[in-house]
Amino acid sequence: MPAGAEGVSFMVRHCSMMGGERVTDAFVPALDRHPWSPRRALGALRTSGSMACATRYFSFCGLPVMTLSHSRIAHALPVPSAEALKASEQLTAHITAEIGRVGGWIPFSRYMEMALYEPGLGYYSNPGMVFGSAGDFVTAPELTPLFGATLARQVAPWLRDPALAGDGPMVLEVGAGTGMLAAQLLNALDNAGFSGLRYRILELSAERREQQRQTLMSLAPGLLPRVQWLTDFPERFAGVVVANELLDAMPVQIFEWRAGKGGSTRGDVKGHASEKAARDMSGAGVEDAPAARTAGTVAAGVGVGPSGEQVYEMGVGLADDGAFVWVPRPADAALNGAVATVRAELGEVQAAAWPTPYRSEICPAQQGWIRTLAERMTAGTVLLLDYGFAAPEYYHPQRSQGTLMCHYRHHSHTEPFLWPGLNDITAHVDFSGLARAATAAGFSLLGYTSMAAFLMNAGVLDELAELPREPEQFWFAQAQAVQQLISEAEMGALFKVIAFERGMQAPVSAFGFGD
């Protein structure tokens, strides 16, 4: 699929993204001393045994969470309803049929795409509740309206830029989730004088659109006429694009790098698949796969790096009992080149420190998405918030199992084949790769920093200070939520904010401190 079409495809499928939470204690010591602060709450969770929130935080930090066998993880999680299990079984049948149709192997990116977006059955395509305390995770806009109000402080001066004066101010939110951030931005920008604001929400799911409409009717009823729902980017437009936790659930390719020649992946497959399944997928023993293809792709350099290292793409096949299993294949030229690019940018010392095997992710979908956006946007800014790292941290030698993680009912685990369609499957964002793709497509980088630094620069504490102190319980709840947004032990450090611009005349930004 062409890069542009690929970007549109994943962007449209991923329209219902939000999700997550975590982030710099030095900013708010007073809040941290409050008895309701998240730092103390985390300690209370540990002592009380209620570790759902702590578990999610540890998973975002890259620490091992529920890395048990498939069956043991299933027993450790809340039991799905009979209706949910039936839907998961239907999706499993769809994926199994897909694997059979294409010869017994699909890349993990295709599995992840179906698990999340298969119409009517995928995690983000079914009508079930995935956001909030009743779902699988809580997002920043659901913690406090001060999140959206603070973002509006940055969006407002962008909307006033002369480059956007032609058709009037427009905000395009991609993946609006429950509609909470849309309501917060609409209210805050209306209070800032943007009476003519056009607000567009790019959303494919009919269920999500209805949920967003209900949220806006409840929280911003007078502003609902300004909202229009889309299923694709406009062909040509100028404005401000906002996406909160959009990128982390775009399907990823999983690669496994091995130093030298003749390395075996059998040790990694053994825990998930029978050796016979691995041989069936490759046509030979896994350790012999490169030799078995010397007359084909490997002889042409596919899967073998310039120094004899091997790169495999981890895909999904079927075990003897029909269960999904990890199955490696030599990487094609595109994936092999992408891994080589990552290693070259890391530098010789860090690249040489990778253990063997080393497993991680590449996300062409994110790069296709930003390229498509660059093709359509004539002028404006793009504000993206998500959890992730710059490349040196993302591909650190100690992060040798990548960042792939699953979330179910506020529990985190590492088994993406468990109950397809019922788990969120995510990977962190490689912000270096994203920035490289954006600037190559014609955007200029405005800034990149932690969410804590961004919110502090944009005025989140000013927003908190302007709240009435009565009722006291409400103010303290908002203070606690702000602490959760900017605390290093919560969202402040792991979550990042990155912004790009094109054709703006005076693009002021909140990236000064900590950029």
Side-chain angles (χ1 to χ4, degrees), residues 331-375:
D332 62 18
L335 181 57
N336 200 49
V339 174
T341 297
V342 166
R343 287 177 56 79
E345 293 191 343
L346 292 178
E348 189 173 334
V349 173
Q350 184 168 338
W354 275 11
T356 182
Y358 184 91
R359 185 180 294 190
S360 194
E361 309 90 22
I362 298 284
C363 190
Q366 293 172 4
Q367 299 174 16
W369 182 85
I370 200 72
R371 283 194 296 266
T372 300
L373 180 53
E375 291 169 2

Side-chain angles (χ1 to χ4, degrees), residues 92 116 199 225 271 299 335 341 441:
T92 297
L116 295 180
Y199 201 96
L335 181 57
T341 297

Side-chain angles (χ1 to χ4, degrees), residues 58-63 108 112 248 250 252-255 358-363 366 387-391 393-396 398-407 412-414 424-430 494:
F58 295 149
S59 76
F60 281 143
C61 289
L63 300 177
F108 179 77
M112 184 173 174
D248 61 85
M250 288 189 179
V252 296
Q253 291 179 285
I254 297 183
F255 71 86
Y358 184 91
R359 185 180 294 190
S360 194
E361 309 90 22
I362 298 284
C363 190
Q366 293 172 4
Y387 47 89
F389 311 109
E393 189 174 357
Y394 195 111
Y395 298 108
H396 192 279
Q398 292 182 351
R399 191 168 279 110
S400 60
Q401 292 300 308
T403 70
L404 193 76
M405 188 59 59
C406 305
H407 303 285
S412 298
H413 65 88
T414 58
D424 187 19
I425 306 175
T426 75
H428 287 46
V429 178
D430 168 18
L494 182 63

Side-chain angles (χ1 to χ4, degrees), residues 288-458:
D288 300 323
R293 292 176 173 78
T294 53
T297 56
V298 171
V302 178
V304 180
S307 301
E309 68 268 19
Q310 297 169 318
V311 181
Y312 293 92
E313 178 169 11
M314 302 304 296
V316 183
L318 300 174
D320 295 338
D321 61 358
F324 297 134
V325 293
W326 290 107
V327 179
R329 278 189 173 181
D332 62 18
L335 181 57
N336 200 49
V339 174
T341 297
V342 166
R343 287 177 56 79
E345 293 191 343
L346 292 178
E348 189 173 334
V349 173
Q350 184 168 338
W354 275 11
T356 182
Y358 184 91
R359 185 180 294 190
S360 194
E361 309 90 22
I362 298 284
C363 190
Q366 293 172 4
Q367 299 174 16
W369 182 85
I370 200 72
R371 283 194 296 266
T372 300
L373 180 53
E375 291 169 2
R376 306 287 186 89
M377 177 179 272
T378 57
T381 56
V382 182
L383 182 65
L384 305 173
L385 304 94
D386 221 314
Y387 47 89
F389 311 109
E393 189 174 357
Y394 195 111
Y395 298 108
H396 192 279
Q398 292 182 351
R399 191 168 279 110
S400 60
Q401 292 300 308
T403 70
L404 193 76
M405 188 59 59
C406 305
H407 303 285
Y408 175 74
R409 304 267 188 92
H410 297 276
H411 293 71
S412 298
H413 65 88
T414 58
E415 181 46 76
F417 303 147
L418 176 68
W419 302 329
L422 304 187
N423 294 272
D424 187 19
I425 306 175
T426 75
H428 287 46
V429 178
D430 168 18
F431 284 102
S432 297
L434 182 68
R436 185 170 59 249
T439 53
F443 282 120
S444 296
L445 178 65
L446 268 181
Y448 168 70
T449 190
S450 69
M451 189 160 77
F454 178 85
L455 292 177
M456 293 292 292
N457 292 339

Side-chain angles (χ1 to χ4, degrees), residues 138-162:
V138 177
T139 65
E142 292 164 328
L143 292 175
T144 172
L146 300 182
F147 178 77
T150 304
L151 262 58
R153 285 174 171 249
Q154 173 61 93
V155 171
W158 287 340
L159 291 174
R160 295 190 181 101
D161 192 285

